[in-house]
Amino acid sequence: MKPWKLLDTEYLVDAPWLKVAKEKCELPNGKVIDDFYTLWQPDWVLILARTSKGEWIMTEQYRHGTGKIALEFPAGIIDKGETPEQAALRELQEESGYGIEKQCVTLSEASKMRSRTGLDSSTPLRSAQNDTISYLGSFPVNPDRHRGRFHVVFIDNVVKNGCTHFDSTEEIESLLLSDEALQAKMADGSFNHPLQMAGYLKWKLSLK
């Protein structure tokens, strides 16, 4: 099986947060598709943050795509130059006011650990002391026609350690859920973000 050959690209939308392209592609059998549409958005990180009591840090905010208030794990765009772990710690603090204790891996320590060991952002990074931060991998948002990816980071034993900091377009409330309560909300449909559920499943599988 061979991949398609890209013959031409025309950007219909070319904005910092979204690109929509009309692509001309040649299939292995010679057939040409003149208008295959693809999407791109910046990579983002999904943050599975848990307290020492085993409670998940969750958020609620309005999502205009569905027109409803959504229950979610914290998440956010990875800024240029950030590792997924750094983005996870920053976004977790900004959205919920939770973070890691001083003896755990800090942002600068995470960067230094990667530099010393030669790890890149696709390699799991763990605390030298207590496995506080675990990188669980990156995954395509939609393999069919979406070029963006999301990364999954697990942070254990987080504590409330500061104030939130929202963008001017954000209004976010945070709450705590036990693992059993979270699974119950998955079952009844009140937690229904498919990519976030996939990230949670990846974490579950990592325990085996």
Side-chain angles (χ1 to χ4, degrees):
M1 186 175 296
K2 297 180 180 180
W4 294 2
K5 183 185 297 184
L6 180 60
L7 302 178
D8 186 51
T9 300
E10 176 188 357
Y11 284 101
L12 307 179
V13 177
D14 192 359
W17 306 110
L18 175 68
K19 300 183 190 297
V20 180
K22 177 183 176 182
E23 299 183 343
K24 183 177 182 179
C25 305
E26 181 181 339
L27 280 58
N29 63 8
K31 178 179 175 59
V32 173
I33 300 176
D34 293 314
D35 55 351
F36 192 90
Y37 296 93
T38 60
L39 304 173
W40 171 91
Q41 290 176 292
D43 284 9
W44 54 278
V45 62
L46 169 64
I47 307 150
L48 308 179
R50 190 174 64 173
T51 70
S52 60
K53 295 182 179 180
E55 295 174 310
W56 295 107
I57 311 301
M58 307 297 297
T59 64
E60 288 186 325
Q61 58 183 309
Y62 173 76
R63 292 302 192 186
H64 195 56
T66 59
K68 297 180 179 180
I69 305 299
L71 175 66
E72 301 176 348
F73 288 111
I77 298 297
I78 300 174
D79 288 343
K80 185 177 180 179
E82 280 187 320
T83 66
E85 293 95 336
Q86 290 173 327
L89 290 171
R90 175 181 55 76
E91 287 285 351
L92 179 64
Q93 181 71 55
E94 291 176 358
E95 292 194 358
S96 68
Y98 279 82
I100 55 176
E101 294 179 310
K102 291 182 180 179
Q103 68 266 26
C104 300
V105 173
T106 65
L107 294 177
S108 59
E109 288 170 345
S111 179
K112 290 177 182 177
M113 286 176 66
R114 285 196 179 280
S115 177
R116 289 198 305 267
T117 58
L119 297 177
D120 59 28
S121 61
S122 65
T123 306
L125 173 64
R126 296 178 181 272
S127 164
Q129 295 183 12
N130 56 7
D131 289 351
T132 297
I133 305 175
S134 299
Y135 179 79
L136 301 181
S138 68
F139 307 91
V141 173
N142 179 352
D144 179 37
R145 60 182 68 243
H146 200 299
R147 298 279 162 75
R149 299 183 69 83
F150 73 101
H151 303 253
V152 182
V153 173
F154 170 65
I155 310 176
D156 208 7
N157 298 315
V158 299
V159 295
K160 191 77 170 180
N161 65 0
C163 299
T164 56
H165 178 72
F166 303 144
D167 292 338
S168 60
T169 59
E170 291 180 320
E171 184 180 356
I172 303 173
E173 295 183 1
S174 58
L175 64 152
L176 301 174
L177 286 180
S178 68
D179 197 55
E180 293 77 12
L182 176 61
Q183 291 188 32
K185 289 187 178 297
M186 291 182 184
D188 68 20
S190 53
F191 178 75
N192 57 12
H193 193 307
L195 298 182
Q196 295 205 356
M197 293 171 72
Y200 173 83
L201 175 60
K202 178 65 177 179
W203 171 77
K204 277 287 190 182
L205 293 174
S206 73
L207 302 179
K208 297 182 178 180

